[in-house]
C-alpha cells in the first residue's frame, strides 16, 4: 500500500504578542453563506459600551463667599443700636433633635445671641412637653428657660406627629408681663414668675411647677403656651444698648391664621412687636405626587399673603415672615437647575415658583437674595437619603421675607434689615438654620 503523505507541523510561535489576538480579533464571529453555499466566517470589531451623555443641566455645588454686611458690636458702640437677631430652622422632628443633639438649640441661640428662635416641622403633639420619657423639659425647656427664653408651640390637630411650629422669645430685661388666660383675666407676673396680684403667693416660679399646673396647660403662664392668642403687655425696663427694652419686647402671640381651612395643621405662629410683626410659618409641601399642589398655590399661598398684608395695613407696621417656605425660587436656589424632573417635583414646579413671585410682588422682599444677589451654593436643604449634603447638592427652601419698608434705610427708620445668611455647619436635620439681623436704632 502507498504511504500516506503528511504535511509538516507548523511550529508554534513563541512571540506572545503575535499569538494573542488583538482587541478587534476578540470580536464575535459572524457566519454567512457564500454564493456557492459554503459557510465562511468574518470577524467584526468589538462594540465599546455606550458613553453616558454629559448632563446638560446646571451642576452648581460651589459655595461662594458672602461678605459680612453688619457688625452688631460696632453698631452698638457707635450708634447705640441693638441688633435684633432671628434664627429659623426646620428641625425635621424636635424629639429626635433633642434626643440626639440635646445641646444644639441652647448652643445655637447662645452663639448668635438670638432674640427669637423659630422652629418648623417640630412634629409635636399636645402632651409631649410633659412626657417624662421624652425628656423635653430637662433637655430643652429648662435649658432655654435658664437662658431667658419663653417657648410657644403650635400643634397639628388633624394628624399626629405632623407639621408643627415653635418659637422661643428672649426676655432680655426685667419686665412686668400681663398674660391673658383662658378666663380672660390678666395675670400679672414678674421675671421670677411671682403673681404680683396675689399677696404672698407665687405664680409658677419654675417650669416644673408650670407643668404641674392645669392653668399652664391652658396657656396662661406663657413659658410654653399652646395654640391660642396671648396678649403680652410690657413696660420699659433696663435698656438694650441705648434702645428702650419695650421696643424689643413682644406685645402679642397669635398661634393661628384665623382661617379654619388652614389652622388645623399647626403651621403658623405670629408675634407682634412694637416695630413689626414676625410670623413663623411652615408652608405645606405639595407632595411627591403633587396631590396638594393646587391647594398650596391656589388657596394657602393666596390666603397667607393676604393675611400678611392685613397685618401690615391694620397694624400700620411692616411684616417679616420666615421659615421653610417649600419653594426653590430660581436657578440660584437649586444645584441642578434644568434637570427634567424639577418641573414635576415639589418645591420646584413652575406653579409654586410663580405663586411665590406673586407673593413677593405684593410688596415683599426675599431678604437673603436682596442682600446677596450673586450668592451661589447657599442652600438650606439636602436630601439625606441621597447623601447630598457633603457634595452640597441642595435647594434653598428657607427664607426671610420682609416688607419693603424694612429694607430701606433713613434717619426716620427705627428698624432696618442689615444681613441674612445660613449656618451650614449646624447638624441635626436635613435643613440648616438661617439668620436675619435687624438693626434697631435708639
Amino acid at each position: 500500500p502507498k504511504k500516506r503523505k503528511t504535511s509538516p507541523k507548523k511550529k508554534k510561535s513563541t512571540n506572545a504578542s503575535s499569538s494573542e489576538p488583538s482587541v478587534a480579533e476578540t470580536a464575535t464571529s459572524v457566519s454567512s453563506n457564500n454564493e456557492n453555499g459554503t459557510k465562511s466566517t468574518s470577524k467584526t470589531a468589538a462594540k465599546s459600551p455606550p458613553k453616558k451623555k454629559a448632563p446638560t443641566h446646571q451642576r452648581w455645588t460651589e459655595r461662594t463667599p458672602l461678605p459680612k454686611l453688619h457688625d452688631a458690636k460696632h453698631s452698638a458702640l457707635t450708634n447705640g443700636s441693638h441688633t435684633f437677631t432671628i434664627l429659623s430652622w426646620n428641625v425635621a422632628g424636635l424629639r429626635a433633635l433633642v434626643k440626639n443633639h440635646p445641646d444644639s438649640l441652647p448652643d445655637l441661640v447662645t452663639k448668635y445671641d438670638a432674640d427669637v428662635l423659630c422652629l418648623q416641622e417640630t412634629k409635636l403633639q399636645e402632651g409631649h412637653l410633659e412626657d417624662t420619657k421624652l425628656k423635653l423639659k430637662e433637655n430643652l425647656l429648662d435649658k432655654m428657660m435658664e437662658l431667658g427664653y419663653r417657648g410657644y408651640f403650635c400643634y397639628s390637630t388633624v394628624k399626629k406627629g405632623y407639621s408643627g411650629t415653635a418659637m422661643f422669645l428672649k426676655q432680655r430685661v426685667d419686665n412686668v408681663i400681663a398674660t391673658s388666660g383662658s378666663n380672660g383675666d390678666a395675670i400679672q407676673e414678674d421675671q421670677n414668675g411671682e403673681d404680683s396680684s396675689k399677696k404672698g403667693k407665687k405664680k409658677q416660679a419654675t417650669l416644673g411647677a408650670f407643668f404641674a399646673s392645669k392653668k399652664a396647660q391652658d396657656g396662661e403662664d406663657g413659658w410654653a403656651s399652646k395654640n391660642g392668642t396671648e396678649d403680652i403687655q410690657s413696660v420699659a425696663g433696663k435698656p438694650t444698648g441705648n434702645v428702650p427694652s419695650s421696643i424689643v419686647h413682644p406685645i402679642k402671640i397669635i398661634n393661628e391664621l384665623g382661617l379654619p381651612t388652614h389652622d388645623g395643621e399647626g403651621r403658623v405662629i405670629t408675634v407682634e412687636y412694637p416695630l413689626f410683626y414676625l410670623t413663623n410659618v411652615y408652608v405645606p409641601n405639595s407632595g411627591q405626587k403633587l396631590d396638594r399642589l393646587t391647594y398650596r398655590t391656589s388657596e394657602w399661598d393666596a390666603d397667607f399673603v393676604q393675611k400678611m398684608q392685613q397685618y401690615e395695613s391694620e397694624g400700620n407696621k411692616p411684616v417679616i415672615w420666615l421659615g421653610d417656605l417649600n419653594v426653590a425660587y430660581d436657578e440660584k436656589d437649586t444645584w441642578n437647575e434644568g434637570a427634567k424632573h424639577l418641573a414635576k417635583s415639589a418645591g420646584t414646579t413652575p406653579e409654586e415658583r410663580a405663586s411665590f413671585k406673586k407673593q413677593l410682588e405684593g410688596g415683599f422682599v426675599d431678604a437673603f437674595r436682596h442682600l446677596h444677589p450673586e450668592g451661589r451654593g447657599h442652600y438650606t436643604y439636602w436630601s439625606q437619603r441621597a447623601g447630598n449634603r457633603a457634595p452640597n447638592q441642595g435647594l434653598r427652601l428657607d427664607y426671610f421675607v420682609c416688607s419693603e419698608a424694612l429694607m430701606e434705610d433713613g434717619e426716620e427708620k427705627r428698624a432696618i434689615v442689615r444681613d441674612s445668611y445660613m449656618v451650614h455647619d449646624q447638624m441635626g436635620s436635613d435643613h440648616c438654620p438661617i439668620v436675619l439681623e435687624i438693626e434697631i436704632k435708639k
Side-chain angles (χ1 to χ4, degrees), residues 155-170:
Y155 313 113
S156 170
T157 58
V158 298
K159 187 177 179 181
K160 291 183 178 181
Y162 178 71
S163 187
T165 48
M167 294 181 77
F168 288 90
L169 310 182
K170 179 77 171 180

Side-chain angles (χ1 to χ4, degrees), residues 63 88-94 96-97 100-101 120-123 282 285 324 326 379-390 392-398 423-424 426-434:
R63 190 173 290 142
S88 174
W89 192 11
N90 179 322
V91 294
L94 188 57
L97 177 68
N100 299 323
H101 307 274
Q120 304 90 41
E121 201 175 1
T122 60
K123 300 183 181 180
Y282 179 36
N285 189 296
D324 179 359
N326 265 314
Y379 310 124
T380 64
Y381 165 81
W382 305 263
S383 171
Q384 287 184 332
R385 185 180 302 175
N388 283 353
R389 186 154 191 168
N392 196 31
Q393 298 174 350
L395 303 170
R396 185 170 75 102
L397 299 179
D398 303 81
V423 187
H424 292 117
Q426 177 66 57
M427 298 298 152
S429 170
D430 51 3
H431 290 247
C432 75
I434 58 175

Side-chain angles (χ1 to χ4, degrees), residues 271-291:
V271 182
E272 181 184 359
Y273 283 93
L275 297 180
F276 49 79
Y277 285 92
L278 185 65
T279 296
N280 176 24
V281 58
Y282 179 36
V283 172
N285 189 296
S286 295
Q288 289 186 343
K289 297 182 180 179
L290 301 182
D291 50 318

Side-chain angles (χ1 to χ4, degrees), residues 219-439:
E220 294 182 28
D221 187 283
W223 277 109
S225 71
K226 64 169 190 174
N227 300 15
T229 301
E230 185 172 346
D231 291 320
I232 303 178
Q233 299 172 359
S234 66
V235 296
K238 297 177 183 178
T240 304
N242 289 340
V243 175
S245 61
S246 57
I247 296 298
V248 297
H249 191 83
I251 299 171
K252 181 182 291 186
I253 314 294
I254 308 169
N255 285 13
E256 56 188 14
L257 278 176
L259 302 171
T261 306
H262 309 303
D263 284 338
E265 296 185 1
R267 294 185 176 275
V268 176
I269 304 178
T270 296
V271 182
E272 181 184 359
Y273 283 93
L275 297 180
F276 49 79
Y277 285 92
L278 185 65
T279 296
N280 176 24
V281 58
Y282 179 36
V283 172
N285 189 296
S286 295
Q288 289 186 343
K289 297 182 180 179
L290 301 182
D291 50 318
R292 300 196 80 186
L293 178 61
T294 300
Y295 162 73
R296 153 71 187 276
T297 56
S298 299
E299 298 180 46
W300 170 275
D301 284 355
D303 291 344
F304 180 82
V305 75
Q306 185 176 359
K307 189 68 176 182
M308 297 301 101
Q309 291 169 330
Q310 179 183 337
Y311 283 144
E312 197 176 37
S313 59
E314 293 181 359
N316 194 29
K317 64 180 73 172
V319 172
I320 303 167
W321 38 289
L322 60 99
D324 179 359
L325 305 190
N326 265 314
V327 61
Y329 183 46
D330 62 21
E331 75 281 354
K332 294 179 182 178
D333 302 321
T334 61
W335 80 277
N336 58 343
E337 183 69 18
K340 292 181 179 179
H341 69 278
L342 290 183
K344 298 181 180 180
S345 298
T348 52
T349 64
E351 294 88 347
E352 289 164 312
R353 289 176 163 181
S355 183
F356 185 56
K357 180 181 180 182
K358 188 175 181 181
Q359 288 181 321
L360 295 178
E361 290 172 347
F364 299 99
V365 177
D366 171 1
F368 173 79
R369 188 57 65 204
H370 176 84
L371 296 167
H372 302 283
E374 300 305 320
R376 299 294 298 266
H378 294 274
Y379 310 124
T380 64
Y381 165 81
W382 305 263
S383 171
Q384 287 184 332
R385 185 180 302 175
N388 283 353
R389 186 154 191 168
N392 196 31
Q393 298 174 350
L395 303 170
R396 185 170 75 102
L397 299 179
D398 303 81
Y399 297 74
F400 290 101
V401 179
C402 308
S403 295
E404 292 175 347
L406 283 169
M407 311 305 295
E408 302 166 354
D409 201 350
E411 292 184 2
E412 74 286 356
K413 297 288 184 179
R414 294 289 306 275
I416 305 143
V417 171
R418 292 300 190 190
D419 204 357
S420 183
Y421 48 92
M422 292 74 176
V423 187
H424 292 117
D425 58 354
Q426 177 66 57
M427 298 298 152
S429 170
D430 51 3
H431 290 247
C432 75
I434 58 175
V435 185
L436 187 75
E437 295 178 352
I438 305 171
E439 182 184 6

Side-chain angles (χ1 to χ4, degrees), residues 164-206:
T165 48
M167 294 181 77
F168 288 90
L169 310 182
K170 179 77 171 180
Q171 308 299 303
R172 288 198 171 274
V173 294
D174 294 333
N175 285 312
V176 175
I177 304 171
T179 305
S180 177
S182 59
N183 59 3
D185 296 333
I187 302 169
Q188 294 281 334
E189 58 180 60
D190 63 17
Q191 195 177 27
N192 294 321
E194 296 183 357
D195 187 352
S196 58
S197 66
K198 297 181 180 180
K199 294 181 180 180
K201 294 184 180 180
K202 289 187 177 182
K203 169 63 181 172
Q204 305 306 331
T206 66

